[in-house]
Amino acid sequence: MAKDSFSGTPTAPAPAPLGARYLQAAMDWQIAVGRSVLLAQRAQWEMFAAWQRATAAAQRELMDQWICRFGGGVPLDG
């Protein structure tokens, strides 16, 4: 009888190589360290973006004050 993939007899999984558990543990550790580094960098970028938004708002306010004082009118930025 021809062997096909739809036969009803289950096959036992192949035994794991000798260092498979060690390699899996090393990979899990590397993934955990990489994930924490990426999360820390993401937090740094978010803080930088918040600082940039605050600096831009302060710059716009100073520019509006300068225009009102020396530009002869009210700024037209809405």
Side-chain angles (χ1 to χ4, degrees):
M1 178 170 209
K3 184 174 180 174
D4 61 345
S5 60
F6 297 109
S7 66
T9 57
T11 58
L18 183 61
R21 283 176 279 165
Y22 170 76
L23 291 176
Q24 184 63 44
M27 288 298 293
D28 290 343
W29 180 81
Q30 287 178 343
I31 289 170
V33 169
R35 183 177 292 136
S36 66
V37 168
L38 289 175
L39 287 174
Q41 188 177 27
R42 180 179 177 191
Q44 289 175 341
W45 275 109
E46 287 174 357
M47 287 186 286
F48 179 70
W51 176 74
Q52 286 288 321
R53 286 190 297 272
T55 304
Q59 190 269 339
R60 281 191 301 271
E61 180 63 28
L62 289 173
M63 192 67 182
D64 288 347
Q65 289 178 6
W66 187 90
I67 290 171
C68 287
R69 172 85 165 110
F70 299 107
V74 178
L76 299 174
D77 60 355

